[in-house]
Amino acid sequence: MDLSIIIVNYKTHDLTLACIKSVFSSATAYTYEIILIDNASNDGIIKSVNEKYPQVTSIANKDNVGFSRANNQGIRKSKGRYVLLLNSDTIVQQDTLDTMLRFMDENPIVGASGCKIVLPDGSLDKACKRGFPTPSASFYYAFGFSKLFPKIPRFNQYQLGYLNPDEEYGIDSLVGAFMLIRREAIDQVGMLDEEFFMYGEDIDWCYRIKEAGWVNYYYPKTQIIHYKGASSRRKPYKIIYEFHRAMILFHNKHYRQKYSWLTNMAVYIGVGLKFGLSLARNKLKPTR
């Protein structure tokens, strides 16, 4: 088996079916399997997939165990030389799998790679190529310096806006919506950290992969479409909480010992303020 594609479903029934259809519609000589994990959605996805795509391996969780743990369930069942984390709200192009697998086979130093990811309106999903969220990178991003000075590297350490999205290069971090990982890299660094519930696990994985000596690579010779959730609707409290908890978790795991107590305190205060502002803004949004 060349490739194991891991898809986690949480109440995205129609999008998940469309994602799986796009995979089976792709043109590749590589062999692959799809492993679907449903996080207690109660949306009938397992029944629909079993009827339409019986070749898909399905796992039905009784509880929502989060993104990291669900993906790890799939990885444990996987047989491929490569593992692809693929969001349920994405559509791959006909050449995506073939292009990315060929690239990985030709570049054995690459531990993880990602393609170009675009939103439905054709704009770039900026999360597809990122730097690590160091205290300075996070500060410039959170307080808008990256938007004010988009072409200055110092102020764009996180989203790397100064780099051409149509060119290829090694980067710090990819995004879990489409992350292709070499099996040897997983064997070396381990699977996703299940302390992260639904944010930050992809950056943490990329950090560990890079620390182990592998290259994380952005390869925009093919692309996928990412249908992100509508930002105009009010988000559940847990989503906002987990997003900010992931920031603290990542900082404590990788940066706390590298910085002074003053810098660490500034990070905690900054995340706390951002959390409070996010809750306030979210409360003003409509529920539907």
Side-chain angles (χ1 to χ4, degrees), residues 4-59:
S4 297
I5 302 170
I6 315 296
I7 301 173
V8 177
N9 176 81
Y10 183 67
K11 299 183 179 180
T12 55
H13 179 280
D14 294 345
L15 288 170
T16 298
L17 288 179
C19 176
I20 293 173
K21 181 180 179 181
S22 73
V23 171
F24 283 126
S25 297
S26 62
T28 179
Y30 289 97
T31 57
Y32 63 87
E33 62 178 349
I34 298 177
I35 302 174
L36 172 70
I37 303 92
D38 178 55
N39 265 339
S41 300
N42 298 315
D43 62 358
I45 189 62
I46 298 296
K47 182 175 183 293
S48 295
V49 169
N50 287 343
E51 290 175 354
K52 291 177 178 292
Y53 306 105
Q55 63 272 54
V56 172
T57 300
S58 299
I59 301 172

Side-chain angles (χ1 to χ4, degrees), residues 195-240:
E195 282 295 308
F196 295 90
F197 185 78
M198 61 181 297
Y199 293 106
E201 68 289 313
D202 47 3
I203 300 178
D204 171 73
W205 214 13
C206 285
Y207 190 96
R208 288 186 281 134
I209 290 170
K210 190 170 183 179
E211 285 285 291
W214 298 93
V215 174
N216 296 323
Y217 206 86
Y218 173 69
Y219 192 66
K221 303 302 181 183
T222 185
Q223 66 181 38
I224 66 167
I225 301 171
H226 189 192
Y227 291 92
K228 282 188 170 181
S231 59
S232 60
R233 293 199 300 267
R234 188 180 297 178
K235 297 176 181 176
Y237 171 82
K238 185 171 179 60
I239 288 180
I240 299 173

Side-chain angles (χ1 to χ4, degrees), residues 10 69 74 136 174 223:
Y10 183 67
R69 186 173 169 189
S136 61
L174 304 156
Q223 66 181 38

